Amino acid sequence: MKKIVKDKLPSLWEQLSSQATLFLPVEQDGVVNFAPWEEGDSVNLEALNTVVPPKNVVFPQTETYMRFKVENDKLHIEPFEQNGPYVLFGARPCDVAGITLLDKVFLQEPEDGLYSRRRREGTVISVACNEPDAACFCTSFELEPGMAPGADIMVWDMGDYLLWKAQSEKGEKLTGSVENLLQEAAEEEQKAAMELKERVTAKEAAAAQEMGWDPSGVKETLKDMFDSDIWEQFFRRCLGCGICTYICPTCHCFDIQDYSKDQEGGRFRCWDSCMFADFTLMGSGENPRPTRKERVRQRFMHKLCYYPSNFGLYACVGCGRCVRKCPVNLDIAQVIKEVGGVKSGSE
Amino acid sequence: MKQLAEIMKDIAAQSLSRGEVDLVIGWQKGPLWWQSYPAFIEGNEGNGETGSLTWDSFCVPNLSRYLLEELPERKKVALFVKGCDALGFNQILQDKRAEREKVVLYGIPCTGLVDPDKVESAGLGRGLLEVKRDGDELVFVYDSGEQKAQARDFLYDKCLTCRYPNPVVYDQMLGEAAPVQPEERFESVQELEKMDADERFAYWARQFSRCIRCFACRNACPACSCRECIFDIPEPRWLGKANELSETQFYQIIRAYHVAGRCVDCGECTRVCPVNIPLQELNRKFIKDINELYGEYDAGVDPEQEAPLVTYKTDDPAAFTES
Amino acid sequence: MAQNNLLLPQVAVVEEISTETSDIKTFKVASQGGGSPLEFLPGQCAMLSLPPVGEAIFSITSSPTEKDYLEFSIKKTGSVTNFLHEIEEGYQLGVRGPYGNGFPLEMLKGKDLLFIGGGIGLAPLRSLINYCLANRGDYGQVDIVYGARTPDDLVQRAEIFDNWPRASNTNVYLTVDVEWEGWDGHVGFVPQYMEEIGFAPENRIAVTCGPPIMIKFVLEGLERMGFKPEQVITTLELKMKCGVGKCGRCNLGDRYVCKDGPVFTYAELLNLPPEY
Amino acid sequence: MSLAQEQAFEPLIVAFCCNWCSYAGGDLAGTSRMTYPANVRVIRVPCSSRVSPNLILRAFQRGADGVLVAGCHPGDCHYVTGNYYARRRFSAMRRFLEYLGIEQERFEVHWISASEGSKFAAVMGEVTEKIRALGPNRKLRDAR
């Protein structure tokens, strides 16, 4: 394992950004989000979670993929792509797990070329969490706040320095390219990091235990709960906004739209939300999910029942973003608790 | 405040059991200290759920907005209103989206609500179990003990400038009137007005560049009561779905304009914004200008009065040169 | 450039446009160099692209046995379809696909087939009907019950009045919802008419498509006639965008209608949330 | 902006003109052989109060350097009161756009009657020159 002293981080940003686009958690007006790093940006590696997860790096909120032109009644269509190598530094382990869940959707047959190319071109560096907060519950999904198996490089914040461990070929390659800034980590330093990791995991697991969260059986329970009255107590307070879906590391619904000026333009895909009234509204005026009740149910059923039935895993990583940001506290942690407490058939 | 919560529980149980209303909207406590969210209690005696009603420093969501969805299906609905909620209710009345006689309002004098972000920034969030209000002070409760602080330092900015902490409309008032001591509300607007055009543009462009287009500001707003929002209409699609600065500017300008003269200044838009865009400062610009040009007007105070942008006087001044 | 951008359409030409009803037209689409832009199965769909208006998904109404073109019967309902109804022959548009599972051809082999269609719902059925008639030996008796609101709303008139009734061992039963001047055929709703005629369920598969309300009553009627859910096939229409099971819009339980459907047996539908 | 660019800059102005007064004023300017800059694209609307802020913003998004709304003089509205409402709304809108950093001159409102052909030509000329002096507008433009 390697380490980098924190004084050298500015040099690291410079060096990394000279070889690729470097996404870092950047603070602006009190909000920390991943953004392509520029000289003078205020980097915040301490913020537990960015507001928007780094899914927008692998699956941008708006992504133009085609240009078109109508000329002399002829239609010209051309693929359009604007990417290249990038480094994502500072993703939390839950964020990395979120990307792994997106992989299952976008990389399954038929493979989504736009997404897979972005995934190939990026190197993901995860920073372990030393102090998860009350909204965190990643251990409930068998994740560890101190470890991201899906990351190319794993980094632990040890105070004055970051302990650095390459976990993949891509990670080794990037490590080699910044070797000049790294030092070998001593045995006891490595040991300290692993101890910290264990401690943090144990602490969060204990907190989850105390809150009574146990999602493990929910995917089975929910199979019989489509018609349950339980949804009544959730949907009424929902405002129908898209915060939960847009800040969720695993939500991936999108829309496809065109823009144009005169006879030229482009086609893009952009995030969309199953919480929005027009998400399933058809041209005929029919809407299979006409009210907030069906939409709220869809969101939670998809994460906790439908996705697991297809991929074996919950589409939730316990990052706590919806817990922190839902304006009316309609978060997945509460839903898990409520639906887990109701045995099938007892309704 | 515990006392007020008890009164709320009793009154909710009474009005449901007497059949006066078929739904009570109040607040309930969630598992975490900052979670107090809208609660919907129905049925005879509320099926014993009225006991879960709460009132604390986090009961911030405006309940009157829910009338848009709930009222059409109900005979009569009771809800608790803080000062800002009452203004919102009146605005919904003025917009003819609710009938006064179908609603029972229980007024709550409000001494300001606590902004969880301010608690977190002060480093008080770790291990916090509960926040209690004790007069002008807040009591932060931890496993290890309690800590006290001045409440004012932790209130939402919108509460610090609140001019109507006591409901302007109610059927029954619960508790003594709260003191009215608002700070000047147009200060930020004035600061921005002092900048030059390019600075102002850069300021707002930076704010808008963070917008994720979640529409929470619209959906939380008691003045955004259109049955079908112009931003949702597919044909013609006024608002493009791409997250582009130009589209976001379009969205935010039109959103603010649509509530100009009807915005009750409750500040919910700013509160719910996940990326800290100071949306209230957009709405307040309209309020300030309308006050200056067409006379002082407080939306939501009198639902019988006409909103300033749906009326006129023949000798109105203009903000452009008339010739 | 990515070799596998699933969302990228190819340019195709609208060779012929025929007006079916006041709000339905059929479009014949071929590659720029001629020939069908896609290979597909009956019941599959394709995404038509009309920059800058956008994309919409339609079921292919021609049979795969027609190799020179794709046909789409399209009703005016939204921005894309309104635009489509304005274009002229020779217009260039984008096509991508085919999407979806198509009808289970193996399962239909050797069976008597009962088609029940309403209005524009004939579009996907027509592909299968013509496919079966082109491979007549593989299937038993073919019965087609088709109706629309008025006689003027019936589509594919040449086929429903002439071609299909003349095919061997094939019956066509037409009906309209309301009495109409000049119409001396059956008057009444499709589901009732279907039950009036009566079809034995033995060795028969029913395939239905039409407005949701019609499908609802057809399913009930088929059940009364003794059809098992496994013998009934329908095709769903939900809002779709990507066509490849990723954008989430047509998610129905753990299925995606664009990819796992749009064709489902009634038995499969009973296991899915009723959100269609 | 370099001098060459500045000289090359031809502003694009979108003028929403009320059918009954200002558009007729424009017609009169035309039939009277008065000239005004070709930079102005006139869009005929039934009344100045029909012009929604959506239209104003859309014009800026699609490349307008300045937007003008022209209607009947207060008191002369064909629909009696339309321009009184317009006066309030566009006053609020104009100040709001300025608050967002859009120079005031880029959004103007003028009252031009059907008989004021020369005023129509003069206003179009003035507006064009003001915008020319300000330079191109990028502030609300859709850059795609």
Side-chain angles (χ1 to χ4, degrees):
Chain A
M1 271 199 254
K2 309 270 183 193
K3 70 173 194 176
I4 179 168
V5 294
K6 281 190 177 168
D7 293 348
K8 288 195 178 158
L9 287 178
S11 315
L12 180 67
W13 309 151
E14 231 163 84
Q15 218 162 305
L16 287 176
S17 65
S18 71
Q19 46 181 282
T21 309
L22 172 62
F23 290 92
L24 279 172
V26 170
E27 183 162 350
Q28 185 189 75
D29 298 319
V31 180
V32 184
N33 270 325
F34 285 95
W37 177 79
E38 284 170 38
E39 188 80 57
D41 277 349
S42 111
V43 177
N44 184 338
L45 288 179
E46 271 82 50
L48 197 53
N49 265 326
T50 50
V51 174
V52 180
K55 76 171 169 184
N56 64 355
V57 174
V58 293
F59 172 46
Q61 179 158 12
T62 303
E63 181 176 30
T64 297
Y65 62 82
M66 170 187 130
R67 301 273 315 164
F68 56 79
K69 194 174 187 175
V70 181
E71 214 171 32
N72 305 325
D73 293 335
K74 292 248 181 273
L75 173 65
H76 302 275
I77 288 176
E78 263 183 22
F80 176 86
E81 278 188 40
Q82 240 189 341
N83 39 9
Y86 66 88
V87 176
L88 168 60
F89 191 110
R92 295 293 181 179
C94 53
D95 295 338
V96 178
I99 293 174
T100 312
L101 292 170
L102 295 185
D103 286 351
K104 298 207 178 286
V105 174
F106 287 107
L107 301 182
Q108 71 167 341
E109 276 303 307
E111 183 182 287
D112 184 295
L114 294 166
Y115 181 88
S116 65
R117 176 157 174 188
R118 271 183 207 277
R119 283 293 276 134
R120 275 198 307 280
E121 288 180 337
T123 307
V124 177
I125 303 175
S126 179
V127 177
C129 302
N130 288 357
E131 216 185 341
D133 73 13
C136 292
F137 54 110
C138 69
T139 51
S140 304
F141 295 102
E142 285 156 32
L143 302 171
E144 283 186 74
M147 189 67 208
D152 297 304
I153 295 169
M154 190 70 219
V155 160
W156 291 269
D157 186 339
M158 302 304 292
D160 298 335
Y161 63 94
L162 303 177
L163 197 72
W164 177 295
K165 185 186 171 199
Q167 305 191 124
S168 72
E169 220 171 282
K170 266 197 258 180
E172 299 283 0
K173 201 170 153 227
L174 187 137
T175 304
S177 77
V178 294
E179 203 112 57
N180 56 323
L181 300 171
L182 306 176
Q183 296 163 262
E184 285 301 325
E187 191 87 357
E188 58 269 25
E189 289 174 327
Q190 299 186 26
K191 224 178 115 198
M194 291 310 107
E195 276 170 18
L196 175 68
K197 173 174 97 81
E198 296 308 325
R199 213 164 48 235
V200 173
T201 303
K203 199 174 153 195
E204 196 197 305
Q209 188 80 20
E210 205 175 305
M211 295 298 286
W213 284 330
D214 179 17
S216 56
V218 165
K219 62 183 173 206
E220 290 304 319
T221 322
L222 278 175
K223 281 184 179 159
D224 298 320
M225 287 180 68
F226 186 83
D227 294 317
S228 164
D229 292 339
I230 197 127
W231 305 110
E232 297 284 331
Q233 63 168 296
F234 297 130
F235 84 87
R236 290 191 188 280
R237 68 177 188 260
C238 176
L239 292 174
C241 77
I243 293 182
C244 53
T245 49
Y246 284 4
I247 64 172
C248 178
T250 77
C251 272
H252 54 269
C253 287
F254 62 86
D255 195 1
I256 294 172
Q257 296 274 333
D258 288 357
Y259 64 87
S260 69
K261 205 182 153 193
D262 302 326
Q263 295 299 301
E264 270 183 69
R267 177 166 294 167
F268 59 91
R269 68 171 169 194
C270 61
W271 295 354
D272 204 347
S273 172
C274 58
M275 294 287 103
F276 292 157
D278 61 348
F279 186 68
T280 49
L281 179 67
M282 289 188 271
S284 61
E286 307 224 11
N287 193 344
R289 292 201 281 269
T291 75
R292 288 169 302 151
K293 179 178 174 177
E294 294 84 23
R295 293 174 215 140
V296 167
R297 175 173 60 195
Q298 167 67 17
R299 177 171 145 77
F300 292 115
M301 286 295 269
H302 187 249
K303 297 214 170 299
L304 301 172
C305 183
Y306 307 155
Y307 185 102
S309 136
N310 280 324
F311 300 111
L313 292 167
Y314 286 108
C316 175
V317 293
C319 70
R321 284 184 173 88
C322 56
V323 180
R324 296 182 197 97
K325 289 291 180 188
C326 174
V328 291
N329 310 130
L330 178 53
D331 60 65
I332 200 164
Q334 284 183 49
V335 173
I336 288 170
K337 203 173 166 187
E338 294 293 327
V339 299
V342 180
K343 296 230 163 30
S344 56
S346 69
E347 276 292 315
Chain B
M1 278 210 240
K2 265 272 147 45
Q3 219 185 342
L4 191 49
E6 294 311 314
I7 299 172
M8 288 165 70
K9 289 172 193 177
D10 291 346
I11 210 158
Q14 277 168 23
S15 53
L16 283 168
S17 63
R18 286 191 201 133
E20 289 165 9
V21 298
D22 47 359
L23 173 72
V24 173
I25 313 178
W27 297 274
Q28 249 163 8
K29 200 66 197 158
L32 298 167
W33 56 269
W34 73 83
Q35 296 181 320
S36 298
Y37 51 76
F40 300 79
I41 298 175
E42 52 195 321
N44 193 22
E45 294 179 41
N47 300 320
E49 284 174 30
T50 49
S52 67
L53 286 175
T54 196
W55 169 251
D56 69 3
S57 295
F58 302 99
C59 293
V60 58
N62 183 339
L63 303 182
S64 51
R65 184 175 159 113
Y66 290 106
L67 292 173
L68 299 173
E69 301 273 354
E70 298 293 341
L71 215 45
E73 297 164 18
R74 309 283 179 173
K75 287 203 288 287
K76 203 159 185 173
V77 175
L79 66 152
F80 298 94
V81 284
K82 310 181 292 286
C84 52
D85 305 347
L87 295 172
F89 173 76
N90 268 344
Q91 190 53 48
I92 289 170
L93 273 191
Q94 189 192 55
D95 293 336
K96 302 193 165 42
R97 292 300 311 276
E99 300 99 317
R100 181 66 184 88
E101 59 279 6
K102 283 183 73 179
V103 181
V104 179
L105 298 175
Y106 299 120
I108 295 180
C110 177
T111 50
L113 300 174
V114 170
D115 183 346
D117 285 346
K118 290 192 180 178
V119 176
E120 292 287 1
S121 322
L124 294 167
R126 291 275 165 196
L128 187 54
L129 300 174
E130 194 189 353
V131 181
K132 292 188 287 197
R133 183 78 186 251
D134 183 9
D136 290 338
E137 288 188 316
L138 290 179
V139 184
F140 297 90
V141 184
Y142 305 88
D143 262 338
S144 52
E146 294 186 353
Q147 190 176 331
K148 284 192 173 190
Q150 276 297 312
R152 212 166 168 80
D153 297 341
F154 295 93
L155 300 186
Y156 280 104
D157 288 346
K158 67 173 188 170
C159 297
L160 296 174
T161 54
C162 176
R163 296 150 67 247
Y164 295 94
N166 298 299
V168 293
V169 55
Y170 53 82
D171 293 292
Q172 188 179 337
M173 189 70 184
L174 315 179
E176 294 292 309
V180 185
Q181 43 192 177
E183 290 174 9
E184 167 55 44
R185 62 172 170 159
F186 294 126
E187 239 167 51
S188 309
V189 175
Q190 282 158 346
E191 285 305 310
L192 282 163
E193 285 172 344
K194 283 180 206 151
M195 296 180 182
D196 73 28
D198 289 347
E199 283 170 346
R200 267 200 303 270
F201 185 80
Y203 171 84
W204 284 112
R206 190 181 81 223
Q207 303 295 338
F208 293 154
S209 70
R210 290 199 302 273
C211 177
I212 57 169
R213 298 276 290 277
C214 65
F215 295 104
C217 45
R218 171 192 70 179
N219 289 18
C221 176
C224 278
S225 56
C226 290
R227 284 172 209 276
E228 194 176 20
C229 176
I230 184 170
F231 302 127
D232 291 342
I233 297 172
E235 184 70 1
R237 186 174 285 289
W238 280 104
L239 177 64
K241 282 186 151 187
N243 193 349
E244 285 278 324
L245 181 60
S246 164
E247 303 278 21
T248 302
Q249 286 164 332
F250 183 91
Y251 167 59
Q252 292 295 0
I253 293 171
I254 298 300
R255 186 198 61 78
Y257 180 87
H258 278 195
V259 298
R262 301 189 304 114
C263 165
V264 300
D265 205 14
C266 71
E268 275 291 87
C269 46
T270 297
R271 177 190 70 95
V272 300
C273 180
V275 290
N276 294 8
I277 304 174
L279 297 159
Q280 201 173 7
E281 308 311 331
L282 294 176
N283 299 347
R284 279 180 169 169
K285 171 63 177 171
F286 274 122
I287 296 174
K288 180 172 175 281
D289 284 349
I290 288 169
N291 283 352
E292 282 170 15
L293 288 164
Y294 305 116
E296 292 280 327
Y297 177 81
D298 279 345
V301 171
D302 176 7
E304 300 301 321
Q305 213 183 332
E306 269 180 316
L309 292 193
V310 296
T311 186
Y312 66 90
K313 286 189 187 129
T314 52
D315 58 349
D316 275 335
F320 45 86
T321 315
E322 289 189 287
S323 58
Chain C
M1 292 297 163
Q3 300 304 305
N4 56 347
N5 183 348
L6 302 168
L7 306 177
L8 207 61
Q10 55 168 304
V11 176
V13 187
V14 177
E15 285 190 334
E16 206 181 303
I17 301 173
S18 34
T19 301
E20 302 273 357
T21 73
S22 61
D23 59 0
I24 299 172
K25 286 182 177 180
T26 295
F27 301 82
K28 200 177 263 188
V29 176
S31 292
Q32 276 178 298
S36 169
L38 315 165
E39 279 187 32
F40 67 99
L41 297 169
Q44 283 193 305
C45 307
M47 197 69 79
L48 295 186
S49 251
L50 292 120
V53 185
E55 280 187 316
I57 196 164
F58 301 100
S59 49
I60 303 167
T61 190
S62 52
S63 158
T65 47
E66 299 289 346
K67 302 285 184 198
D68 294 340
Y69 52 80
L70 298 173
E71 276 182 320
F72 300 89
S73 285
I74 295 171
K75 186 172 178 166
K76 259 166 100 156
T77 52
S79 49
V80 172
T81 52
N82 286 339
F83 189 85
L84 260 169
H85 273 248
E86 298 299 314
I87 64 169
E88 289 171 7
E89 288 170 5
Y91 193 87
Q92 298 197 338
L93 41 62
V95 182
R96 60 185 175 94
Y99 296 122
N101 54 356
F103 291 106
L105 297 174
E106 279 309 305
M107 171 183 162
L108 301 178
K109 245 183 198 163
K111 299 276 179 10
D112 292 337
L113 302 180
L114 167 60
F115 293 94
I116 309 128
I120 185 70
L122 190 67
L125 300 184
R126 175 182 176 245
S127 177
L128 181 59
I129 292 169
N130 282 333
Y131 178 87
C132 292
L133 296 182
N135 297 281
R136 197 65 195 85
D138 289 347
Y139 306 93
Q141 186 175 324
V142 171
D143 292 290
I144 300 162
V145 184
Y146 174 56
R149 212 168 50 81
T150 74
D152 293 346
D153 294 307
L154 295 165
V155 300
Q156 298 297 347
R157 310 177 79 88
E159 285 173 352
I160 60 174
F161 288 119
D162 299 328
N163 302 5
W164 294 347
R166 276 207 299 266
S168 69
N169 208 9
T170 302
N171 303 309
V172 179
Y173 305 91
L174 300 177
T175 184
V176 297
D177 292 354
V178 288
E179 297 277 355
W180 200 258
E181 210 184 305
W183 176 258
D184 52 9
H186 188 271
V187 176
F189 295 119
V190 168
Q192 279 98 321
Y193 190 34
M194 170 192 82
E195 279 196 82
E196 273 170 40
I197 305 162
F199 296 93
E202 286 72 33
N203 197 43
R204 199 188 297 271
I205 301 278
V207 188
T208 183
C209 184
I213 185 75
M214 182 206 91
I215 293 188
K216 180 176 176 278
F217 288 114
V218 165
L219 294 177
E220 286 175 16
L222 288 170
E223 208 174 337
R224 274 194 294 272
M225 291 194 290
F227 281 78
K228 292 198 187 70
E230 293 77 18
Q231 285 174 278
V232 180
I233 292 171
T234 186
T235 143
L236 296 185
E237 192 193 353
L238 283 184
K239 194 168 172 184
M240 303 179 207
K241 280 289 180 176
C242 72
V244 288
K246 302 194 192 292
C247 82
R249 202 165 300 266
C250 65
N251 179 220
L252 189 64
D254 58 6
R255 306 284 86 194
Y256 288 86
V257 173
C258 68
K259 192 172 147 222
D260 306 313
V263 177
F264 292 95
T265 65
Y266 185 40
E268 288 170 316
L269 284 186
L270 289 174
N271 284 319
L272 290 171
E275 292 184 323
Y276 44 84
Chain D
M1 225 176 8
S2 73
L3 191 61
Q5 277 175 318
E6 206 167 312
Q7 283 167 341
F9 170 57
E10 281 300 333
L12 176 64
I13 311 232
V14 174
F16 294 98
C17 295
C18 126
N19 177 53
W20 306 101
C21 290
S22 308
Y23 192 84
D27 269 350
L28 180 60
T31 49
S32 316
R33 311 262 165 150
M34 292 174 203
T35 56
Y36 64 89
N39 305 60
V40 183
R41 307 285 192 280
V42 175
I43 296 175
R44 179 159 65 159
V45 290
C47 177
S48 52
S49 64
R50 187 266 171 258
V51 181
S52 76
N54 301 357
L55 296 171
I56 298 165
L57 295 186
R58 188 62 105 236
F60 282 124
Q61 281 185 313
R62 297 302 171 93
D65 299 297
V67 175
L68 171 74
V69 174
C72 310
H73 286 271
D76 294 342
C77 178
H78 182 81
Y79 307 100
V80 188
T81 58
N83 52 9
Y84 287 129
Y85 290 104
R87 180 162 63 190
R88 281 200 172 198
R89 291 171 192 177
F90 292 137
S91 290
M93 186 66 182
R94 190 159 187 260
R95 285 202 177 182
F96 190 67
L97 288 178
E98 193 195 3
Y99 183 64
L100 292 178
I102 321 301
E103 297 85 353
Q104 262 205 349
E105 295 84 350
R106 296 204 188 268
F107 174 53
E108 288 280 8
V109 183
H110 286 275
W111 309 133
I112 303 168
S113 81
S115 63
E116 293 174 322
S118 56
K119 182 176 177 186
F120 183 93
V123 164
M124 299 304 153
E126 274 166 36
V127 168
T128 306
E129 285 323 303
K130 268 192 199 166
I131 302 294
R132 192 192 301 282
L134 269 177
N137 179 51
R138 302 264 175 250
K139 283 180 177 166
L140 297 170
R141 188 171 296 188
D142 190 334
R144 289 174 296 176

